[in-house]
Amino acid sequence: MIDELKTAIQNAGLRVNNFSFSEKKPYTVISVDVLQHNYDAWMLAMYLNETNYKYSITPIEIDGVTRKVDFDFKTENN
């Protein structure tokens, strides 16, 4: 699913190298450092709202400040 998400994000005009991709069973996760790439995180959320991808957002706080946001995509069972 990572390759599919990277392609979709790149085709939407977003810079793939601003995102971290990982597999954490049963999820595929896109992480964004919102202190450095807040605009990209916002644009990713707006793009995903226009697609059929189902996801949840997990904010990661350090010292009371949201530093990172994880977009969690549930991996489908075949």
Side-chain angles (χ1 to χ4, degrees):
M1 183 169 196
I2 288 176
D3 290 335
E4 176 185 339
L5 287 169
K6 282 183 177 180
T7 300
I9 289 167
Q10 192 167 21
N11 288 342
L14 297 172
R15 295 170 51 179
V16 174
N17 58 343
N18 290 345
F19 307 104
S20 298
F21 297 83
S22 62
E23 295 283 344
K24 297 178 184 174
K25 300 276 182 192
Y27 295 98
T28 298
V29 179
I30 300 175
S31 297
V32 184
D33 179 338
V34 293
L35 295 180
Q36 292 181 342
H37 304 292
N38 189 41
Y39 178 78
D40 292 314
W42 177 255
M43 293 305 293
L44 178 61
M46 301 309 324
Y47 166 71
L48 292 172
N49 285 334
E50 297 296 322
T51 67
N52 291 327
Y53 290 112
K54 303 292 184 225
Y55 67 95
S56 61
I57 296 177
T58 306
I60 309 298
E61 290 188 9
I62 300 173
D63 297 328
V65 177
T66 301
R67 305 242 179 217
K68 187 170 96 171
V69 174
D70 285 350
F71 293 83
D72 304 315
F73 299 84
K74 181 113 179 184
T75 305
E76 295 181 18
N77 294 331
N78 293 330

